[in-house]
Amino acid sequence: MRRITLILSDLYLPAEFGRPAAGPVASFPSTLDMPNFDWLLRFAERVERIEDWRSWLSADLGAFDLARMSVAQCCALRTLPAASSRNAWLATPVHLEARIDHVRLADRGLLRLSAQERDSWRQDFSLAFGPEYALHDAGERGFLLSGAAPARVASVDPSRLLDADIGQALPTGPSAGELRRLGTEIEMWLHGAPANVAREHLRSRRVSALWLWGGGSLGDGATETAPTADVTESRKPQVFGGDPFLTALAGISVDPAPRSFSELDAGGKHIVVELAPMSGATSEALAELETHWFAPARAALNSGNADAIDVVANDRRFRVGRRPGWRLWRRRASWLTRLAL
């Protein structure tokens, strides 16, 4: 393997959205010992702040058309007609918790829906909100919403808000009124939706809301049709993950992340793996990643079987080169400390 990019797409430190330092931080237990993750971040030869992992990855692969577009527009390029993709928004199913003075996105509150559930939700939504608005399947993580006006509205990726107050992250801007109103109406509809009753019978968390985000008008220089050369063939990686953006980037359907680093193709030139330790499957939890991803990644670098590994988390990109362990002067620090620097 020449290069591996590991994207921890929902690993954000609480301080990124102003959560009180003294508040509960159950998702980031300070006692979670991950020496191999510590090692990877310690010996990174390059560390840089990035705006977000999607725009960074697009630019890194030379897909500059995608880098200039909103996330929802990218996700819609290959699934919706051009006219619909222009006003697409991501609609992520979330579980919210009401507190005395605020509403929080629950810990692990980004919900995954089966194909059968998604089909049921879309049909019910069409009866309640069609024909003006429509939901389109975007995989197990949710939907694309079409029909909203293509206005510039600031919104937040819900993966940044796990176990956090959502008040400061609602859509903002002069044209945010339609999106906020629609979001409220969807919450009221979900309260008695038959699909939610079915989830309760299965003892699954209710879908409290569809978090609308990632849309807006086209950026300067972006196109309304699918790019013809989003990633040049020489730079096209092998991609794994569950985020719908990856399909737009790869140009084909993307397989889920394998369960371990050892399952990757040793002959691949560049492999991109998106993992969701804070909201995904049990196999992607931090403790599992430490054993099945970070430890073998460390071994691959030390043995020379990998030329470079990029770790992307908390809006940081860490580049670790081959056989980095000789840099013994690098001070030791926990992975939490490194991510916060």
Side-chain angles (χ1 to χ4, degrees), residues 68-132:
R68 288 191 291 264
M69 300 179 72
S70 73
V71 178
Q73 289 163 351
C74 292
C75 295
L77 278 174
R78 304 182 192 279
T79 57
L80 300 182
S84 297
S85 66
R86 186 171 178 271
N87 64 353
W89 290 82
L90 284 161
T92 302
V94 297
H95 181 74
L96 305 177
E97 296 177 341
R99 302 295 174 87
I100 294 176
D101 58 350
H102 66 279
V103 176
R104 301 178 78 83
L105 176 56
D107 181 25
R108 308 195 73 83
L110 302 184
L111 305 180
R112 304 291 194 259
L113 303 181
S114 68
Q116 183 177 359
E117 279 187 292
R118 297 195 303 274
D119 186 58
S120 176
W121 283 112
R122 289 191 299 110
Q123 292 183 35
D124 290 349
F125 185 91
S126 179
L127 293 174
F129 295 92
E132 183 178 5

Side-chain angles (χ1 to χ4, degrees), residues 19 40 74 99 130 139 144 152 178 188 205 219 235 260-261 272 278 283 299:
R19 195 183 317 180
L40 289 171
C74 292
R99 302 295 174 87
L144 284 162
R152 291 187 181 274
E178 178 189 8
M188 295 172 64
R205 279 177 159 178
R235 299 177 70 177
S260 69
F261 185 93
V272 175
M278 311 311 295
S283 60

Side-chain angles (χ1 to χ4, degrees), residues 46-272:
R46 186 188 311 167
V47 181
E48 62 177 311
R49 292 292 300 265
I50 60 176
E51 183 177 352
D52 65 85
W53 69 265
R54 295 178 184 89
S55 60
W56 171 81
L57 184 60
S58 299
D60 182 64
L61 298 177
F64 297 108
D65 278 350
L66 293 182
R68 288 191 291 264
M69 300 179 72
S70 73
V71 178
Q73 289 163 351
C74 292
C75 295
L77 278 174
R78 304 182 192 279
T79 57
L80 300 182
S84 297
S85 66
R86 186 171 178 271
N87 64 353
W89 290 82
L90 284 161
T92 302
V94 297
H95 181 74
L96 305 177
E97 296 177 341
R99 302 295 174 87
I100 294 176
D101 58 350
H102 66 279
V103 176
R104 301 178 78 83
L105 176 56
D107 181 25
R108 308 195 73 83
L110 302 184
L111 305 180
R112 304 291 194 259
L113 303 181
S114 68
Q116 183 177 359
E117 279 187 292
R118 297 195 303 274
D119 186 58
S120 176
W121 283 112
R122 289 191 299 110
Q123 292 183 35
D124 290 349
F125 185 91
S126 179
L127 293 174
F129 295 92
E132 183 178 5
Y133 300 105
L135 290 181
H136 310 270
D137 195 355
E140 67 171 4
R141 301 192 190 185
F143 309 95
L144 284 162
L145 170 79
S146 63
R152 291 187 181 274
V153 177
S155 60
V156 176
D157 180 347
S159 65
R160 296 176 177 271
L161 301 169
L162 288 165
D163 197 25
D165 182 352
I166 67 171
Q168 300 301 312
L170 297 174
T172 59
S175 302
E178 178 189 8
L179 213 62
R180 284 196 176 219
R181 173 187 58 77
L182 179 59
T184 299
E185 292 178 0
I186 290 174
E187 287 187 45
M188 295 172 64
W189 165 69
L190 286 170
H191 184 71
N196 254 336
V197 175
R199 288 183 65 84
E200 285 187 324
H201 288 163
L202 295 173
R203 297 187 177 180
S204 299
R205 279 177 159 178
R206 291 176 58 88
V207 178
S208 306
L210 296 181
W211 187 267
L212 305 179
W213 68 284
S217 58
L218 289 169
D220 296 337
T223 61
E224 293 188 17
T225 58
T228 57
D230 46 357
V231 180
T232 59
E233 196 62 36
S234 62
R235 299 177 70 177
K236 187 169 294 231
Q238 187 177 11
V239 181
F240 299 93
D243 192 281
F245 173 79
L246 298 174
T247 296
L249 187 70
I252 56 175
S253 60
V254 174
D255 291 329
R259 297 182 66 87
S260 69
F261 185 93
S262 61
E263 295 180 34
L264 299 178
D265 178 10
K269 291 183 178 180
H270 183 193
I271 300 173
V272 175

